[in-house]
Amino acid sequence: MTNEEIMREAIRLSVENVRNGGGPFGAVIARQGEIIATGVNRVTPLHDPTAHAEVSAIRAACQKLGTFDLSGCEIFTSCEPCPMCLGAIYWAHLDRIYYGNNQRDAAKIGFDDNFIYEELALPVAQRAKQMKALLSDEAISAFEAWEQKDDKVEY
């Protein structure tokens, strides 16, 4: 399939998802022109704020391929990814992102992620959500165990 055909599938999924009670977002993960997995926004039906189309597609692709590393794959999403999805895309090592609508288009219909970008740019003490380190001297034990582990699978 061409990139345009794959993107049309992401768009089709987003339109269909609106009809099925979900948000207006669809995503497709492909490798060398072949669709590996798809996802749609199911935040409200599943009562899951992480059930964005991109995250759902990443989860499905990882399960199908039996790996957490999607190097060699690309994601086609009906809208420019939000900060959470962008983070997931980077963690999944997807090679490229194609998107239809952009952040401004999403903001016009009530999906404005700009406040998250603004928060991330602030020092921790100035963010709207209070953050405070707690029991750091105890929490470090997990990191020390990881560092000493001989058979760890790094990601």
Side-chain angles (χ1 to χ4, degrees):
M1 297 176 75
T2 67
N3 287 346
E4 290 78 9
E5 290 170 323
I6 298 169
M7 178 57 83
R8 284 189 184 101
E9 178 62 10
I11 294 166
R12 185 194 68 73
L13 288 167
S14 69
V15 172
E16 180 180 290
N17 197 51
V18 171
R19 286 192 281 258
N20 293 331
F25 305 98
V28 175
I29 293 179
R31 182 172 55 194
Q32 298 176 347
E34 177 188 340
I35 292 177
I36 302 296
T38 64
V40 293
N41 181 288
R42 303 303 290 161
V43 170
T44 56
L46 297 179
H47 309 289
D48 180 355
T50 69
H52 289 202
E54 297 91 339
V55 172
S56 297
I58 289 168
R59 289 174 179 160
C62 289
Q63 288 297 307
K64 181 174 183 178
L65 297 176
T67 183
F68 56 82
D69 185 342
L70 297 177
S71 296
C73 296
E74 301 172 322
I75 190 164
F76 297 75
T77 180
S78 63
C79 186
E80 186 176 357
C82 75
M84 176 184 70
C85 292
L86 189 59
I89 289 165
Y90 274 89
W91 279 114
H93 305 285
L94 287 155
D95 291 356
R96 185 171 289 122
I97 304 164
Y98 296 96
Y99 63 92
N101 298 310
N102 62 38
Q103 287 180 37
R104 291 175 306 285
D105 298 324
K108 287 177 189 173
I109 62 166
F111 294 95
D112 191 351
D113 300 324
N114 197 48
F115 73 98
I116 299 173
Y117 288 107
E118 291 171 356
E119 282 284 301
L120 290 173
L122 292 173
V124 171
Q126 294 177 17
R127 293 180 183 166
K129 302 278 183 194
Q130 281 191 336
M131 295 177 66
K132 182 178 179 180
L134 185 64
L135 298 178
S136 299
D137 55 335
E138 294 178 33
I140 198 69
S141 63
F143 282 12
E144 291 168 347
W146 175 259
E147 191 173 43
Q148 295 170 11
K149 187 172 174 60
D150 292 329
D151 62 344
K152 63 186 163 208
V153 176
E154 296 195 23
Y155 54 96

